[in-house]
Amino acid sequence: MVMMASLALPFVVVTLLWFVSTGLVAMINHRLRTSFGRALVIASLCGLSGLGLLVLTAHSTTSLATYVSFIGGLLIWSWHEISFLTGAVAGSHRNPCPAEAQGWQRFSLATMALLHHEIALAMTAGLLLSLASVTANPTGAYTFALLLIFRLSSKLNIYWGVPNMSDELLPSHLAYLKSYFGPRQLHPMLILSTLMILGLAAWFTLAAFKAVTAHDATMAGLLCCLCLLAALEHLFLAIPFRDSALWGWAMAAKEKTNLGEGVQP
């Protein structure tokens, strides 16, 4: 069994990576649209680097290799995030939701607005998990798969409706997505999904304590901390807290973007 102290380093690493990577993605995607091509090139290089890190650490079970694989999974995820936020990969429907759309029609339009991005994420997760099944270090693949689950949960909860919609990180060219947000009220699914994520975090905590190798303990610790941060993001949807305030240093790029767009003819 591992001691509680063995979870401290994974928690610090995951929290730091979450804070910095979210800010950097927000900064890139709130710049002038003329820089999006460059952003996509950089994102592609990061994605390929992430895939390279997963291949490099595929058969290594040291603690260092576990952290490197985790970072590789995050880099691949960032590739998809930037491709979506720049508008390069979103969906086939890019118009606001009609006021009269209800029920299945509204859900269908919301799905079409994100379809291409969701398919790309699902295909990548399937590929990574397939590769992970024949490797000794699946940390990066599990990281990407968990991020996909957490993101899907967030999107569905926002569609159904949440009390707090902090949408400042959404670029102006994707503003039409706000028309698919649900009412500002607490939906039972937000409570249920948050509890399920916390349950998953508890499961990984137990796995970390029962681990017999440093690799298994580190991987479980990293995934546990990832779950806790996902639960925190779901909590932000329920309480009156503007989580975008955490990335004020990145949002400064948005202010410059808005100023630049205002002076264009």
Side-chain angles (χ1 to χ4, degrees):
M1 295 179 64
V2 297
M3 302 299 292
M4 182 64 73
S6 66
L7 295 176
L9 182 57
F11 182 81
V12 172
V13 170
V14 174
T15 303
L16 214 62
L17 289 173
W18 168 75
F19 178 75
V20 174
S21 61
T22 301
L24 289 177
V25 169
M27 180 184 296
I28 290 174
N29 287 286
H30 282 104
R31 295 180 66 86
L32 293 173
R33 291 183 65 87
T34 53
S35 69
F36 280 1
R38 187 187 313 161
L40 287 171
V41 171
I42 295 175
S44 297
L45 292 175
C46 288
L48 292 173
S49 298
L51 183 59
L53 292 179
L54 262 61
V55 173
L56 182 66
T57 59
H59 299 291
S60 176
T61 56
T62 65
S63 293
L64 178 59
T66 308
Y67 283 106
V68 172
S69 181
F70 178 82
I71 293 173
L74 288 182
L75 287 173
I76 298 174
W77 180 263
S78 298
W79 183 12
H80 285 279
E81 279 292 281
I82 294 175
S83 68
F84 170 69
L85 291 173
T86 56
V89 181
S92 57
H93 183 76
R94 302 201 178 197
N95 296 314
C97 182
E100 69 278 6
Q102 298 292 331
W104 178 252
Q105 181 187 12
R106 176 172 172 263
F107 182 79
S108 298
L109 291 173
T111 301
M112 296 303 293
L114 301 170
L115 185 62
H116 297 162
H117 180 59
E118 299 304 319
I119 291 176
L121 287 174
M123 291 179 64
T124 303
L127 173 63
L128 294 180
L129 289 174
S130 296
L131 294 175
S133 65
V134 294
T135 63
N137 184 4
T139 309
Y142 291 170
T143 298
F144 189 94
L146 280 179
L147 288 172
L148 174 57
I149 294 172
F150 299 151
R151 178 53 55 86
L152 183 59
S153 174
S154 295
K155 288 177 180 176
L156 287 174
N157 277 295
I158 291 174
Y159 171 81
W160 288 320
V162 294
N164 179 42
M165 297 181 187
S166 184
D167 52 20
E168 290 88 347
L169 294 179
L170 193 67
S172 58
H173 55 275
L174 295 178
Y176 63 89
L177 293 176
K178 298 179 184 179
S179 65
Y180 297 97
F181 291 1
R184 289 182 177 272
Q185 63 184 28
L186 182 61
H187 193 282
M189 281 305 300
L190 179 58
I191 300 175
L192 179 60
S193 55
T194 303
L195 291 176
M196 290 177 67
I197 294 173
L198 288 174
L200 190 58
W203 187 84
F204 281 123
T205 301
L206 183 62
F209 275 89
K210 289 185 176 181
V212 295
T213 66
H215 162 70
D216 290 338
T218 302
M219 181 174 66
L222 289 170
L223 298 179
C224 170
C225 297
L226 198 63
C227 291
L228 291 176
L229 287 176
L232 179 62
E233 289 186 339
H234 278 62
L235 180 62
F236 285 159
L237 296 174
I239 62 176
F241 174 73
R242 309 305 289 180
D243 57 327
S244 58
L246 296 173
W247 295 280
W249 53 276
M251 295 302 290
K254 180 177 182 179
E255 297 175 359
K256 294 180 181 179
T257 297
N258 293 336
L259 180 62
E261 291 177 347
V263 298
Q264 289 178 359

